[in-house]
Amino acid sequence: MMDVIPTQFEVLDERFARVAGDDVVERLYTGTRWAEGPVYFPAGRFLVWSDIPNDRMLRWDEFTGAVGPFRTPSGYTNGNTLDREGRLISCEQGNRRVTRTEHDGSITVLADRWQGRRLNSPNDAVVRSDGSVWFTDPSYGISSDYEGVRAEQEIDGCHVYRIDPVTGEARVVADDFERPNGLAFSLDERLLYVADTRRRHIRVFEVTGDGTLGKGRIFAEGAAGEAYDGMRLDDTGRLWAAAGRSVHCYDPDGTLIGRLCLPDNIANLVFGGLKRNRLFVAASTSLYSIMLNVTGARPVWA
């Protein structure tokens, strides 16, 4: 029998009233220690996600519902995404690097150092349509052996970086975060949203023509117990963000218009399925899924 829980939407603004979907949320898998980084592969109709403390990545098959290992050990991989060619981009906390898995299965290191010093522990990544890879680099993977390998921090701070698609150089684009985490581009890629988990807020920055960031401003602030993590946009420009035990939905003007509530602490999410209207949520010990009348933003390879 399918493991399901009743769907619980909270409508906080009339703009969320038309959001609907299945009456139940499916629990596709349970048994992880800290689920993270879901990424959907449309060509193969499967989803990959991370189980950080267990140093593994898992694969869920959309046709059969079967779950099996994708990569173990995984370098304590956290966030994942796809580039313009459908290749897997991963943030390996334990190996302190950002990698790309090629179509033949080999792994290319995109970034592991900045100015000769090792990165802290890359957390989440997003790819822009120009091919640049942007990632956050907090210190969760080196602060203990739970999510990585305890080590000394070589860089003075936790920053946001951009990897140039031509030169491969990693450059700091924002250096005033405590624990930068999830990030996402607006539909026109003129804005970059970045969560700061420790400060419990999301900031938004203007992206300039030369790939740098303008001055940021607070986009959203969480209440106690609502530290922000991963984020995705739908095709109307609304921002869906993991925060505590709910997925928050924000209008582009910054208004919190609604929530999807779940029984576990949520780490990250992604839209997938044939029409990008199936929301997958990685939360604590489980992977959840719900079909919505909302469609995810068009990916960079589409």
Side-chain angles (χ1 to χ4, degrees), residues 17 28 58 61 115 201 248 291:
L28 302 177
L58 297 171
D61 186 281
Q115 296 185 346
H201 66 215
H248 289 197
M291 194 81 77

Side-chain angles (χ1 to χ4, degrees), residues 106-173:
S106 61
I107 293 178
T108 300
V109 177
L110 301 182
D112 61 358
R113 295 179 182 272
W114 177 66
Q115 296 185 346
R117 291 168 285 176
R118 295 191 70 187
L119 298 171
N120 298 325
S121 55
N123 184 282
D124 206 0
V126 64
V127 178
R128 202 164 182 241
S129 60
D130 64 359
S132 58
V133 178
W134 302 59
F135 69 95
T136 54
D137 187 41
S139 57
Y140 297 121
I142 59 174
S143 61
S144 75
D145 289 319
Y146 185 73
E147 291 189 58
V149 180
R150 185 194 301 269
E152 293 296 321
Q153 186 169 336
E154 298 182 19
I155 295 173
D156 184 19
C158 299
H159 308 320
V160 182
Y161 294 82
R162 176 187 183 270
I163 302 173
D164 188 274
V166 177
T167 66
E169 177 188 5
R171 180 178 63 187
V172 172
V173 292

Side-chain angles (χ1 to χ4, degrees), residues 205-256:
F205 299 83
E206 292 186 3
V207 184
T208 64
D210 61 355
T212 58
L213 297 181
K215 185 177 180 180
R217 59 178 173 84
I218 301 296
F219 176 79
E221 295 185 90
E226 293 183 342
Y228 295 103
D229 205 321
M231 301 181 289
R232 294 290 189 275
L233 269 75
D234 65 27
D235 66 357
T236 71
R238 293 175 297 204
L239 182 73
W240 296 69
R245 293 194 173 191
S246 62
V247 177
H248 289 197
C249 182
Y250 291 91
D251 188 83
D253 68 7
T255 303
L256 175 60

Side-chain angles (χ1 to χ4, degrees), residues 3-165:
D3 186 10
V4 298
I5 59 174
T7 300
Q8 183 181 350
F9 287 117
E10 289 186 2
V11 178
L12 305 176
D13 184 284
E14 62 180 10
R15 287 170 287 184
F16 195 73
R18 291 186 296 274
V19 173
D22 293 335
D23 292 334
V24 294
V25 177
E26 301 172 61
R27 186 184 282 113
L28 302 177
Y29 179 83
T30 189
T32 55
R33 277 195 161 85
W34 182 238
E36 252 286 8
V39 56
Y40 182 80
F41 289 78
R45 302 282 297 276
F46 64 88
L47 181 126
V48 169
W49 81 104
S50 304
D51 181 9
I52 304 174
N54 284 326
D55 194 16
R56 63 177 180 167
M57 297 166 72
L58 297 171
R59 179 186 186 276
W60 170 82
D61 186 281
E62 189 171 7
F63 292 105
T64 66
V67 173
F70 177 79
R71 180 175 294 162
T72 181
S74 66
Y76 295 92
T77 289
N78 190 326
N80 299 282
T81 192
L82 297 181
D83 71 1
R84 295 182 302 172
E85 297 180 32
R87 296 172 296 186
L88 177 66
I89 305 295
S90 298
C91 294
E92 301 181 14
Q93 291 192 158
N95 294 327
R96 303 169 72 170
R97 65 187 190 179
V98 180
T99 62
R100 182 179 66 222
T101 302
E102 308 296 345
H103 293 305
D104 64 3
S106 61
I107 293 178
T108 300
V109 177
L110 301 182
D112 61 358
R113 295 179 182 272
W114 177 66
Q115 296 185 346
R117 291 168 285 176
R118 295 191 70 187
L119 298 171
N120 298 325
S121 55
N123 184 282
D124 206 0
V126 64
V127 178
R128 202 164 182 241
S129 60
D130 64 359
S132 58
V133 178
W134 302 59
F135 69 95
T136 54
D137 187 41
S139 57
Y140 297 121
I142 59 174
S143 61
S144 75
D145 289 319
Y146 185 73
E147 291 189 58
V149 180
R150 185 194 301 269
E152 293 296 321
Q153 186 169 336
E154 298 182 19
I155 295 173
D156 184 19
C158 299
H159 308 320
V160 182
Y161 294 82
R162 176 187 183 270
I163 302 173
D164 188 274

